[in-house]
Amino acid sequence: MDKNRTEGTKHEVKGAVKEAVGKVTGNKTKEVAGNVEKNAGKAQKEVGKAADAARDAAKK
């Protein structure tokens, strides 16, 4: 499994937590920062999936 998949998932979860804390506390800055980190984590996870797919295709 590509490292980007695990790191992306970590950032996605961390961003979701930040976003939730921002919503609960009314801190728009933290909420937006969490949303950005969550979406960046999703993108990084997709890069990892693509790398895994490319590696699997190269093995065949």
Side-chain angles (χ1 to χ4, degrees):
M1 183 177 344
D2 191 74
K3 184 178 178 183
N4 280 318
R5 288 179 83 170
T6 55
E7 288 295 314
T9 301
K10 182 175 77 171
H11 285 290
E12 193 176 348
V13 170
K14 187 177 168 187
V17 170
K18 269 188 194 177
E19 186 178 19
V21 168
K23 283 181 183 179
V24 169
T25 61
N27 185 339
K28 288 289 184 189
T29 304
K30 187 173 285 280
E31 184 179 345
V32 170
N35 191 6
V36 168
E37 186 169 359
K38 180 175 72 173
N39 289 325
K42 286 180 182 180
Q44 186 176 12
K45 188 165 61 171
E46 291 302 316
V47 167
K49 285 181 184 179
D52 283 342
R55 189 171 31 254
D56 290 343
K59 286 182 181 178
K60 292 182 180 181

